[in-house]
Each structure stands twice: as structure tokens, then as C-alpha cells.
Amino acid sequence: MAVEWIGLVLLIIFCSLDRTAVGQFQLGRPLVCASAAGYLLGVFPLALQLGLMIELLWLMRVPVGAAIAPDDTSVSIGGVVLLWAFSGGGASQDMVVLILVALVCLVTAEIGKLLDIHARHRNEERFQQAVSHLADQCWQQLERNHLRCTVSFALSGLVSVTAVVAIGWIILLASRPFWDVLSLGHPEILKLIFPVVGVAAMLAVLQVRRTIGLFVGGFLLTYSFLCVVNG
Amino acid sequence: MTRGRLWRLGLRSLLIQCSWNFKQFQGLGWVYLLLPELKRLYPDRTLRPIVQRYLGYFNSNVFLTPTIAAAVLSLEYQQRREQPVPMSPQAFSEAVMAPFAAAGDAFFWGGLRPLCCTLAVVAGFLGYWWSPLLFLVLFNLPVFIVRLAGPWFGYHRGVMVVQLLQDYRIADMALVLKRMAVVVLGGIAAVLCHQPDVGVAFSLLICLSLLLTVFMSVVLLRRGFPLYLVIIALLLMAGGIDYTFFIG
Amino acid sequence: MAIVLARVDNRLIHGQVLEAWVPFVQADCLVVVDDVVAQDPFRKHLMIAVVPGELTVEVCSHAEVAQLCHNSAMMAKNVIVLFSTPHDALQAFRDGMHFPSLNLGNMHAEEGKRCISRTLFIDVNDQENLNTLSGLGVTISAQCIPSDRALLWDCQDEELKG
């Protein structure tokens, strides 16, 4: 199991660096990092579901300039750790756990955002050091100083995943007595509320002309296609 | 500059945001990106004032920064060879960073990413396990091309690289991608409410209630209600309906 | 001219304006009031190039503000006005461009400026200009993108600190 956990820590570091500092290959999207973490911990199907549920929620927050979106990377990986710890009690109960974990993600996404802001403020000091490196013409140090800033981003990622897991653990333990009652309902349908609100959140921001027409068009087209395919 | 060195510029641009901060934004990364080529151009003693000019505020779209850098370097080379330049490299970078940010952000963050994400989500809800991979490939392919071809265009066209934004009508392409994303969002809604074996009346009920939920949520979110409140309210409402009609 | 947003942003037209504000306020016209850009054909051309075809862009100098405000084609449009400094905003207001509220987006750090929010750095002149605008009845608030919380400016700028 040790290998998996080392892999998970590396995954957290890679994904939280990819968000801003290095690469921007979009490894930090919930869909990607949740399913990767799920694969590592052996809960891939549930993790993929979690990724799909929270993928669209903050997608349209502009990730540029000083505008910082809630940290969906940390919550997805933290959420998968919670799924690994609390799932396994039958299909219906797993769905209840999945919804609760997604709720935890929703509420704790601000933690990572605050830590991210903190990391960026720390980098301002690095810039001051770079100015003095320039004065001394230490080019190598200037470059190394720039690269060293990744440490603060990686640390903020690790801390926020830990915080998400800790908070989520408490919430899930506290809610455990109610799981049986909750799983009597139809949690597999209730969980669809997340992607539905995700769609709404995107539509609310993607204000192009004729939004309603395009949306309904896409809906009807896909629906009839699915009907034809399924007979 | 040889093609290999232009590629290295593109690769180096993967690291420009390492030291992103609220005062100079990508400022230090911008110097990091230019430094190896500036070192080639200027011997050690004259390098300092040159770097000094670049070390300050810089911010643009990450994927287009290598293009700007290559154009700036081509101006630097011309200046070094004492050829006439249309404008100073610093003035050029200051003038283009905001417009490039506008075009790049609209295209990559506003158009391409939503479209790729929504397509991957459709695949995911249809039950295909490779949907995360689909997203990564769809998004990174154009990005990869821009990151590697951008420096080449930037170096060879110099100041005129800005013409590319207009020639390819980037801003309008971004709008087209956005419209496509809206269509795919409709597709996601359809996949979510498609149930094969429930009869016409019940399917109609599901579709209508789902579309109504989407519409109501859009209105609430546009009014500024927080996302988590909307979701919790909907969960409670749907849970209540579920409990009264289907269990109790 | 229906001004749906007046904004101070040293980068003028960029991602936050096009991606977040234009859809949020449903604007169909952008007006940039800036003497430097208006006299620089290269930058002017570039600004127009990055805006999608369905938005119109006007780049004008302060001398043209009064004329623009009485332009009948502009009357019917939802306009976003962009300034690069509070000084430009004040001057345009005095020239007859009466926006009811002013949004502060980005004013980047320079020597001798103090930080009043994550993205805003002002010096004494900026503060004076903003106080004057506030005195003229303009509601001033700091908000980078619509989903951020708006911080209100008052003359003592108590809330806008930190």
C-alpha cells in the first residue's frame, strides 16, 4: 500500500503545480485528477463519478490574472481519499457517501483558494530577492530563485488536501448514523443534481447570443440520438 | 535563432508561472524565459541593464507568452545588429501583453477548455472510462501546436505577429467554440435525463423537471446566489419529494 | 449612451473584461478612453483585433469624449467604458460622461504605491481623484470579476484595506 500512497502524494504535487505554476496541461481538472487518484487507490468507478459531478461547477471561473477560482484540484483528490476510506458498504450506501463527499468538496474548495492566494503573496518576497540577484549579476541564482517558488505552490496543495480530508472525515463520521435512512431513497438520482447545477453554472456565465436555442437544440439532438440508438 | 532554440523557448515557457505573484504577475518568469537568449546576445557586463528593463510587471496568456517572447527576441537581435526596428522590444511587449491576454484567454479558457470539458463529461456520463484522457488529448493538442509553432511565427514575423490574431480571427473562433460548448451542455442534460425503459409520460416528466431545474438554477446563480446554497436547496427539495412520494 | 460598467483597469481590454464582464453585464460596445492608446495606431489596431466581431470598440481620447456621449448610434447600446487610471475616469466624468458607479479592477504595483486590495495599488493622486469622484456622487467599488465580492470605497477607505 505504501507505493500507492507515495504515488498519491506525487499526484497531489504534480496536479497542484499544474494548476498554475508548471505546464498547465490541465491535470488539475477534477475529472482528470479524481480519476487518477481513484485508480491509484482502487476506487476508480466512484472516483470518476465524483470527478464528473464536480467538473463543471467552477469551470467558468476565469483562471487568469489575479482572479483565482476555488481550488477544485485539492477537493477532488481529497474527496477520492474520503471515498476510499468510507465506501464499500453496498451500492446504495456508496451513493450516499458519494453525495456527502461531493458536498464536502463544495464547501471546502475555498480553503485551497485561500492557501493558493497565500502562496502567491509569499512569491512577492522571492521577486525582491531576484532584484538583488540582478544587482549582483547572479543569473543562476535568479533562475533558481524563480524555480524555487514551486515549493510554496506544492505545499499549499498538500496542506489543502490534508485539510479537506480532515474536515470531510469528521463530517462523514458524524453523519454515519443517518446513512441507512438516507440510502432508502434514490441517492443515485439525487447525485445528478451536481452535474445539473454544473450545467446551469456554465450557462449562467457562457452568455452567448441565442443561448437558449443552442442549449435546447443540443438537448433535443442528443436525446433523439440516444432514443434511436437504444431502440 | 535555430528551430531547436525556438523549441527550447516553447519548453521553457512551461515554467514561466512558477513565481506568479500579485505585484509583478509573471514578471520574474518572463525574465526566466528570455534570459538564455539574452545571455547569448550580450556579454556579461552589458547584460545587467538589459535584464533590468525586462524585470518588472508582465502578464499575458500562458500559451501565447512564448510567441511574444520570440517576437521580442527577434527585435533584440535586430537591435544588436544595429538594424532599424519599428519599435523597441520593451515597448512592443508592453503594448501586446494585454491584447494577447484578451485573445488567448478568450480562446483557451473561455472557448476551448469548456468545449473539451463538456465533451469529456458527455463521454463520462455515457459510461466510457477514458473520458479524462479524451479531455486531456482534446485540450492539449491545440495547446501543444500553439506552444511550439508560436515561437517560430513570433521570431520570423517580429512585430507583425500581431497580424495573426486578426488573420485567424481568434476572437470570433473563441465565440464559435463557446457556442459549441453550449450545444454540448444541452447534450449533457439530455444524457442525464435519458432513461431507456420508463415510458413516454415518465420520460417527459423527467425532461421537463430537469430543464426547469437548470433554468431556475441559472436564474438564481445569475442573481448571485452561492453555488453551494443552490445545490443544498435542490438536494433538500428533491430528497423531500423522493421521501413523500416514493418511500413514505 | 447606457453605461453598464465603468472600470479602471491599467490593462484596458484583456481576459477579465472580455470573459467575465462582457457576458455579465451583456454589453455590446466597449469604449476605451485613453490619450496614449488613441494616438498609437499600433495599439489601437491591436485592441480592435482581439475583440469579437459582434462587439464594437471605440478608442477615443479625452477630447472626443463629449462628442461620443452625444453620438446617437451609441445611445442604444450597452457600453462598458475602460480607463487606465482614476485620473482618466475623473476627467471623462467632468467632460460629461456621467457613469453612476465606477469599478476598480487592476491597478498594478509601482514604486511609491500602497496596496489597498489584492490587485489594486494606489498613490496619493489616485486617492485624491477617487475621493473627488466619490464626492461627485459616483459609487466606487473594487471588484476584479463579477464572482468576487465587491468592496466599497469610502473616503476613509476603511473597507478597502488589506
Side-chain angles (χ1 to χ4, degrees):
Chain A
M1 211 49 206
V3 179
E4 280 87 339
W5 287 99
I6 293 168
L8 191 76
V9 171
L10 287 178
L11 184 78
I12 296 170
I13 292 173
F14 278 135
C15 292
S16 45
L17 285 184
D18 186 81
R19 246 171 90 74
T20 333
V22 181
Q24 296 86 32
F25 295 111
Q26 305 304 306
L27 301 177
R29 291 306 310 160
L31 186 59
V32 180
C33 64
S35 41
Y39 182 78
L40 276 175
L41 296 179
V43 285
F44 181 78
L46 275 178
L48 183 63
Q49 299 270 352
L50 181 72
L52 289 169
M53 281 161 76
I54 53 183
E55 172 66 33
L56 301 178
L57 292 176
W58 299 285
L59 181 61
M60 291 313 292
R61 291 289 180 88
V62 192
V64 291
I68 298 167
D71 186 358
D72 43 10
T73 309
S74 306
V75 292
S76 334
I77 300 181
V80 173
V81 175
L82 291 170
L83 282 177
W84 167 82
F86 289 93
S87 66
S92 186
Q93 207 181 69
D94 278 357
M95 284 300 135
V96 175
V97 174
L98 186 61
I99 291 178
L100 290 172
V101 167
L103 278 176
V104 168
C105 293
L106 200 64
V107 185
T108 49
E110 292 292 319
I111 299 174
K113 179 178 164 181
L114 293 177
L115 285 167
D116 197 4
I117 290 172
H118 180 73
R120 291 168 189 223
H121 277 305
R122 292 260 322 255
N123 289 346
E124 287 166 17
E125 296 156 27
R126 294 274 184 191
F127 189 87
Q128 290 314 312
Q129 290 168 15
V131 173
S132 69
H133 290 152
L134 172 75
D136 306 337
Q137 308 197 28
C138 311
W139 306 121
Q140 263 195 336
Q141 266 183 305
L142 190 143
E143 290 187 354
R144 235 179 272 150
N145 193 36
H146 166 70
L147 296 178
R148 224 174 272 153
C149 292
T150 47
V151 175
S152 48
F153 280 114
L155 275 180
S156 96
L158 284 169
V159 173
S160 57
V161 174
T162 317
V164 171
V165 173
I167 294 171
W169 206 287
I170 296 169
I171 293 177
L172 283 167
L173 275 184
S175 67
R176 196 167 223 166
F178 308 102
W179 289 2
D180 285 335
V181 187
L182 290 173
S183 58
L184 286 177
H186 296 87
E188 69 281 2
I189 293 177
L190 291 195
K191 78 164 203 256
L192 295 182
I193 284 175
F194 286 85
V196 168
V197 175
V199 169
M202 288 187 70
L203 284 176
V205 183
L206 269 172
Q207 279 283 334
V208 288
R209 280 182 200 171
R210 299 186 291 275
T211 309
I212 296 177
L214 289 169
F215 179 75
V216 174
F219 179 85
L220 292 176
L221 203 72
T222 317
Y223 200 84
S224 44
F225 176 75
L226 287 172
C227 285
V228 170
V229 170
N230 292 323
Chain B
M1 273 170 89
T2 59
R3 190 178 294 175
R5 271 157 62 203
L6 287 169
W7 278 7
R8 251 191 51 201
L9 192 72
L11 284 181
R12 211 173 162 86
S13 78
L14 296 177
L15 295 169
I16 50 167
Q17 294 208 105
C18 287
S19 60
W20 202 102
N21 68 63
F22 287 113
K23 276 189 181 148
Q24 291 83 12
F25 295 68
Q26 299 163 342
L28 186 49
W30 176 238
V31 169
Y32 174 80
L33 184 62
L34 296 174
L35 200 52
E37 292 300 327
L38 291 179
K39 268 189 200 165
R40 275 169 179 273
L41 266 176
Y42 297 93
D44 228 8
R45 258 176 240 138
T46 50
L47 184 57
R48 207 186 84 152
I50 304 290
V51 177
Q52 179 87 59
R53 271 185 244 149
Y54 288 104
L55 189 67
Y57 169 86
F58 187 87
N59 198 34
S60 191
N61 181 272
V62 244
F63 305 125
L64 295 179
T65 307
T67 311
I68 304 175
V72 164
L73 286 173
S74 87
L75 289 177
E76 281 285 357
Y77 272 80
Q78 282 170 26
Q79 237 177 19
R80 184 81 175 126
R81 286 193 220 107
E82 289 173 0
Q83 290 165 354
V85 284
M87 59 203 296
S88 84
Q90 284 82 27
F92 175 76
S93 72
E94 267 166 37
V96 299
M97 63 177 154
F100 268 68
D105 292 346
F107 184 80
F108 291 107
W109 301 131
L112 186 65
R113 191 168 77 159
L115 180 63
C116 298
C117 271
T118 45
L119 281 173
V121 168
V122 169
F125 278 119
L126 286 173
Y128 297 110
W129 64 269
W130 39 257
S131 68
L133 295 179
L134 176 75
F135 164 66
L136 285 180
V137 172
L138 282 181
F139 183 82
N140 282 310
L141 215 61
V143 165
F144 182 75
I145 293 169
V146 168
R147 269 183 164 156
L148 286 191
W152 193 86
F153 278 116
Y155 185 71
H156 289 279
R157 299 211 175 178
V159 173
M160 289 320 290
V161 72
V162 298
Q163 196 65 35
L164 285 180
L165 291 181
Q166 216 170 18
D167 289 349
Y168 286 102
R169 309 181 64 78
I170 302 288
D172 291 315
M173 258 158 71
L175 264 185
V176 171
L177 290 180
K178 264 188 182 174
R179 292 216 175 90
M180 283 158 74
V182 174
V183 174
V184 183
L185 280 176
I188 294 179
V191 172
L192 288 179
C193 63
H194 179 78
Q195 302 287 332
D197 317 308
V198 285
V200 178
F202 203 62
S203 331
L204 212 63
L205 186 71
I206 297 177
C207 289
L208 281 178
S209 53
L210 187 128
L211 289 179
L212 196 70
T213 316
V214 169
F215 181 73
M216 269 172 23
S217 314
V218 170
V219 172
L220 287 178
L221 290 170
R222 275 191 69 87
R223 291 253 171 94
F225 278 80
L227 202 60
Y228 65 92
L229 275 187
V230 174
I231 290 188
I232 290 174
L234 279 173
L235 275 175
L236 288 177
M237 228 166 70
I241 293 170
D242 192 23
Y243 184 76
T244 12
F245 292 101
F246 298 100
I247 308 167
Chain C
M1 182 156 80
I3 299 179
V4 287
L5 178 77
R7 174 175 167 102
V8 175
D9 193 323
N10 62 289
R11 295 203 278 156
L12 299 170
I13 297 178
H14 65 116
Q16 286 171 11
V17 177
L18 286 180
E19 283 313 290
W21 285 105
V22 168
F24 184 75
V25 296
Q26 307 209 325
D28 40 26
C29 179
L30 292 171
V31 172
V32 175
V33 182
D34 194 293
D35 281 341
V36 182
V37 181
Q39 276 147 29
D40 185 342
F42 180 73
R43 290 188 65 183
K44 197 170 164 176
H45 179 76
L46 211 75
M47 272 194 182
I48 296 166
V50 297
V51 174
E54 38 183 73
L55 278 170
T56 40
V57 190
E58 292 288 339
V59 182
C60 69
S61 61
H62 283 289
E64 296 161 333
V65 166
Q67 188 194 346
L68 192 76
C69 287
H70 297 105
N71 185 335
S72 58
M74 302 285 281
M75 291 290 195
K77 285 186 171 156
N78 288 339
V79 181
I80 294 183
V81 190
L82 297 167
F83 309 101
S84 57
T85 61
H87 177 255
D88 287 320
L90 179 61
Q91 201 178 338
F93 194 87
R94 286 188 170 144
D95 290 339
M97 189 178 261
H98 292 292
F99 38 86
S101 60
L102 182 69
N103 164 273
L104 303 180
N106 297 290
M107 290 157 70
H108 68 73
E110 263 169 42
E111 204 60 48
K113 289 195 170 188
R114 68 193 178 89
C115 171
I116 55 166
S117 85
R118 275 214 310 277
T119 57
L120 296 172
F121 297 83
I122 61 166
D123 59 18
V124 187
N125 288 332
D126 293 332
Q127 176 156 2
E128 229 165 68
N129 289 328
L130 288 173
N131 281 342
T132 316
L133 270 172
S134 179
L136 287 167
V138 179
T139 319
I140 300 174
S141 61
Q143 196 178 14
C144 223
I145 51 170
S147 54
D148 281 351
R149 200 168 69 91
L151 299 167
L152 275 181
W153 171 276
D154 59 37
C155 290
Q156 285 79 41
D157 67 14
E158 288 296 334
E159 205 193 346
L160 265 176
K161 256 175 211 158

